[in-house]
Amino acid sequence: MEMNTEVVDVRKAVVDIISDIALDEDLSEINDGASLRDQLDLDSMDFLDIVMELKKRYKVEVPSEDYPQLATLESCVRYLSPKFCQ
Amino acid sequence: MTTKYDVLIIGAGMSGMAAGIRLAMFGKTVCIAEMHSLPGGLNSFYQRGSRKFDVGLHALTNFVKKGTKGHPLSKILKQLRIRYDSLQLKEQKSSKVQFRDLEINFSNDIELLISQVAKNFPEEVDGFLELIKNINIHKDLLPSKDFKSARQFVGQYIKNKMLEDMIFYPILFYGSSTEHDLDVNSFIILFQSVYLEGFSRPMGGVRTIIDILLDKFNALGGELRYRHKVEKIVTKNSKVQGALLNNGEMIEADYVISSIGYPETMSLVESQQVTTPAVGRISPIETIFIFDKKPAQCDIDSTIIYYSNQDRYNYQKPTTAIDETSTSICLPNNFSDCEYDEGVIRLTSLANFDLWDSFKSTEYKAQKQKVVEHSLETLKAVMPSLNGELKFQDVFTPKTIKRFTGHMAGAVYGSPDKLPDGLTGIENLLLCGTDQGLIGIVGTLLSGITISNMHILTRDWKG
Ligand SMILES: Cc1cc2nc3c(=O)[nH]c(=O)nc-3n(C[C@H](O)[C@H](O)[C@H](O)COP(=O)(O)OP(=O)(O)OC[C@H]3O[C@@H](n4cnc5c(N)ncnc54)[C@H](O)[C@@H]3O)c2cc1C
């Protein structure tokens, strides 16, 4: 169960960041398994903002070679969860 | 006295405010020094009695409807964390380019322009469609460093010189620092922002945008100092140290971002080896009229009219005080909604800075009066049905622009020498805004964002 609440929190952290960037997007219907870029109006500048917000809010660092790990919400959670635990 | 910030920004115009917001958002200590007592720069505002006026803003280019993906407008909204609805954008009805009696209408739907080309220049419409196709393939284009002629590019598709000039008119007028022609990348960027995206106006005019930017910057803890002019940019071993203000204060900063123009910036740097970029030749003069009737009450529905009394359009510094062959006429009442309860008409023409600068005070006043008369005659020729009573008039000249914004020679679109990467050659002295090469409100906001991201935020973040 513990594992599970963590998964939810990381997802929420990422969704909160995206909704603060793309203020006009509706994130309630987002498909966790599908590409964020295809579903939302996010470009590379916005992904950089997600990374910078992760650092600012949670001190979580994402090196540029790991950007592809942020492609979907699912992959975000998978990739970021261990980093949030540290 | 010395104060220290991470970043000092020179100028609280659109680009300076955008840069300030981005940097403060990610924890930088930021100070904006603005020489004037108001923000906005070339896109500012003023008041006469109870009447409020915009200085720049004819139209906000780059209009797209809410939710449209991947356009410059949505890009800046996300980067600055602004809600689309807070801009309260009101679309243009339709605008036109008019050479003598021939007119071509366009709106925020490109189909209107295509049908107008088909009607007036049937042999050119295939070429025009091909031109649009070749412009559409470009996305996120940046201004280029080396000049490639847009005239040559368009000449591949359009043979009729009059039509070519008609297409070029709004584009040159909204953003070319060079006479007659402009760089092809800039042309494509502007073609997209004028014809493929379109025009709108925020309810309340440019103040609406400025207020949003100021609120953001303040909420993020940024510091904006009015009436603080930067007198000298201080460097040591070709690296920027900070700047000296007109009150004698030294501001130390790791980075200095200047939005005041390329030659203007370099003129503040004390060093033997600085470059001397060219000063731009394009400066406007504007007459503002207020009538007791709105244009629509006189059956005038256009939002902006780009008028020439010739078969061609001469985008160049006139040899006379004002270019008497062409004027662009902006009717803010003719956006889909507008707060003005009187009829407001703005006529903007190219003007000769040197002449305006040389006029002594009585001559200056007399010349301004001549411009008013010329503007009234133009109105009669272009909109004969206009019949309201004139309530108010005002003129601002190239000299006014120089005085209030500091742009040398009143050059609204800056120097023909652009710095697309924002690098001045002096370490950590960066350039944003007009002379980075992006023009207009949306363009210069994007410029402030891009320069901050590219040279400070990402660099920092990469360690
Ligand atoms: C008549 C007119 C009509 C226009 N119409 C439109 C339009 O319809 N649509 C559109 O999108 N754009 C329009 N523009 C263009 C648009 O206004 C500009 O491209 C844009 O505002 C430029 O912003 P900027 O930040 O690059 O520079 P600026 O606005 O020039 O900002 C520079 C700032 O620096 C300050 N400054 C200068 N020197 C110093 C110093 N030494 N120390 C401290 N501060 C200093 C100035 O006071 C100014 O506030 C128009 C401009 C004009 C003049």
Side-chain angles (χ1 to χ4, degrees):
Chain A
M1 282 318 281
E2 262 219 50
M3 184 66 195
N4 208 6
T5 50
E6 236 158 49
V7 170
V8 172
D9 282 348
V10 175
R11 184 187 186 280
K12 184 172 180 307
V14 176
V15 169
D16 283 351
I17 287 175
I18 295 176
S19 65
D20 285 344
I21 295 172
L23 289 165
D24 292 314
E25 296 270 6
D26 175 12
L27 301 181
S28 59
E29 310 250 300
I30 201 158
N31 176 348
D32 284 28
S35 145
L36 285 167
R37 236 183 232 260
D38 292 346
Q39 298 179 81
L40 304 169
D41 185 18
L42 296 177
D43 56 24
S44 50
M45 269 160 111
D46 301 318
F47 273 91
L48 212 57
D49 267 29
I50 297 177
V51 169
M52 293 197 294
E53 291 285 355
L54 281 167
K55 180 172 177 198
K56 181 170 121 187
R57 297 184 191 189
Y58 304 103
K59 308 256 174 310
V60 164
E61 306 229 12
V62 183
S64 54
E65 62 271 20
D66 288 349
Y67 285 1
Q69 308 279 356
L70 305 180
T72 70
L73 265 186
E74 238 166 56
S75 67
C76 280
V77 172
R78 205 180 321 120
Y79 170 75
L80 292 170
S81 290
K83 290 182 174 271
F84 269 71
C85 293
Q86 278 163 20
Chain B
M1 204 177 99
T2 305
T3 334
K4 168 111 184 42
Y5 297 87
D6 293 332
V7 188
L8 170 68
I9 297 170
I10 313 177
M14 293 291 160
S15 65
M17 287 192 284
I21 290 171
R22 285 294 296 171
L23 294 162
M25 192 182 284
F26 292 104
K28 300 285 164 200
T29 54
V30 184
C31 175
I32 305 182
E34 166 58 54
M35 67 172 182
H36 201 35
S37 50
L38 282 174
L42 285 169
N43 241 303
S44 196
F45 51 85
Y46 65 101
Q47 192 151 350
R48 288 281 178 276
S50 60
R51 295 189 174 102
K52 296 173 166 179
F53 298 99
D54 285 339
V55 179
L57 190 72
H58 279 182
L60 189 74
T61 56
N62 300 86
F63 175 83
V64 286
K65 289 208 164 33
K66 186 175 176 177
T68 314
K69 296 186 177 193
H71 287 262
L73 182 63
S74 47
K75 221 179 256 271
I76 59 168
L77 292 180
K78 282 179 295 168
Q79 287 278 306
L80 300 176
R81 317 285 195 255
I82 294 172
R83 273 177 212 285
Y84 182 95
D85 291 334
S86 65
L87 292 179
Q88 305 173 63
L89 297 181
K90 306 297 170 191
E91 287 189 65
Q92 68 166 327
K93 289 179 184 169
S94 72
S95 295
K96 63 183 177 187
V97 185
Q98 180 180 345
F99 285 15
R100 297 184 203 270
D101 292 329
L102 180 72
E103 55 183 63
I104 282 198
N105 294 272
F106 65 96
S107 67
N108 292 354
D109 178 358
I110 186 68
E111 292 306 324
L112 175 63
L113 179 57
I114 294 170
S115 70
Q116 289 277 304
V117 170
K119 185 177 135 204
N120 294 293
F121 300 91
E123 66 292 349
E124 297 282 358
V125 72
D126 291 337
F128 187 60
L129 288 170
E130 200 58 28
L131 172 69
I132 294 176
K133 214 167 93 193
N134 276 283
I135 285 174
N136 264 328
I137 54 180
H138 297 281
K139 236 185 136 241
D140 302 330
L141 210 59
L142 290 172
S144 54
K145 216 174 162 92
D146 306 309
F147 184 92
K148 272 211 232 80
S149 163
R151 293 273 184 184
Q152 237 168 43
F153 168 70
V154 174
Q156 298 171 276
Y157 308 99
I158 304 287
K159 301 300 164 210
N160 185 301
K161 287 291 165 198
M162 183 173 175
L163 176 61
E164 181 185 306
D165 270 6
M166 290 182 112
I167 296 168
F168 268 82
Y169 188 157
I171 288 178
L172 289 163
F173 191 77
Y174 282 149
S176 177
S177 57
T178 46
E179 294 173 304
H180 182 67
D181 196 357
L182 73 168
D183 168 60
V184 68
N185 280 19
S186 301
F187 174 85
I188 291 170
I189 295 169
L190 285 159
F191 190 100
Q192 290 171 336
S193 68
V194 169
Y195 295 125
L196 298 176
E197 296 168 344
F199 293 161
S200 68
R201 176 181 184 275
M203 198 67 174
V206 77
R207 277 179 186 77
T208 303
I209 301 177
I210 291 176
D211 286 347
I212 293 172
L213 297 173
L214 282 181
D215 284 352
K216 288 260 158 209
F217 184 64
N218 290 331
L220 290 163
E223 194 179 326
L224 172 50
R225 301 203 201 170
Y226 295 112
R227 286 176 227 91
H228 281 75
K229 185 174 182 180
V230 169
E231 305 247 295
K232 207 172 110 184
I233 294 169
V234 180
T235 63
K236 197 173 151 191
N237 303 330
S238 277
K239 185 170 182 202
V240 84
Q241 307 292 305
L244 198 62
L245 304 183
N246 57 343
N247 62 354
E249 189 181 347
M250 167 75 192
I251 302 240
E252 272 181 37
D254 295 336
Y255 294 91
V256 174
I257 303 183
S258 172
S259 72
I260 68 176
Y262 189 13
E264 292 81 357
T265 301
M266 295 329 266
S267 76
L268 298 181
V269 178
E270 252 193 11
S271 154
Q272 294 97 346
Q273 303 134 314
V274 294
T275 45
T276 41
V279 174
R281 292 169 55 82
I282 297 297
S283 190
I285 187 159
E286 186 166 299
T287 315
I288 298 154
F289 289 127
I290 300 234
F291 289 93
D292 64 349
K293 272 191 190 171
K294 294 183 187 177
Q297 293 172 282
C298 310
D299 296 322
I300 298 157
D301 285 321
S302 297
T303 308
I304 304 179
I305 303 167
Y306 303 88
Y307 175 72
S308 167
N309 62 18
Q310 323 263 304
D311 291 334
R312 299 297 302 270
Y313 174 54
N314 295 315
Y315 186 76
Q316 60 189 40
K317 179 175 176 175
T319 50
T320 47
I322 170 172
D323 167 27
E324 295 196 356
T325 67
S326 69
T327 310
S328 95
I329 308 170
C330 175
L331 310 167
N333 301 96
N334 283 344
F335 285 88
S336 67
D337 197 359
C338 173
E339 72 283 0
Y340 290 133
D341 48 21
E342 299 170 298
V344 178
I345 301 185
R346 298 170 47 182
L347 294 96
T348 317
S349 301
L350 298 175
N352 182 308
F353 173 82
D354 308 319
L355 286 174
W356 285 99
D357 196 40
S358 72
F359 296 145
K360 300 282 171 278
S361 79
T362 20
E363 172 72 352
Y364 188 76
K365 278 202 194 106
Q367 288 288 340
K368 268 170 90 162
Q369 189 50 38
K370 266 178 76 180
V371 169
V372 168
E373 278 150 30
H374 169 71
S375 298
L376 285 170
E377 269 167 39
T378 307
L379 282 186
K380 249 190 229 143
V382 182
M383 27 184 101
S385 61
L386 187 76
N387 60 12
E389 188 194 329
L390 184 59
K391 305 292 266 185
F392 173 90
Q393 66 193 47
D394 197 14
V395 177
F396 67 77
T397 76
K399 204 172 164 179
T400 324
I401 294 176
K402 161 116 194 287
R403 179 148 41 92
F404 283 103
T405 70
H407 284 284
M408 287 177 179
V412 268
Y413 298 136
S415 168
D417 298 331
K418 300 295 184 196
L419 280 186
D421 58 12
L423 298 173
T424 59
I426 290 166
E427 201 181 335
N428 290 3
L429 174 61
L430 306 167
L431 196 75
C432 77
T434 309
D435 280 344
Q436 190 227 336
L438 292 166
I439 296 281
I441 299 174
V442 173
T444 47
L445 286 172
L446 195 57
S447 168
I449 293 168
T450 315
I451 292 301
S452 310
N453 287 357
M454 197 158 64
H455 297 302
I456 303 182
L457 294 175
T458 56
R459 170 152 119 190
D460 214 61
W461 172 80
K462 279 172 195 150

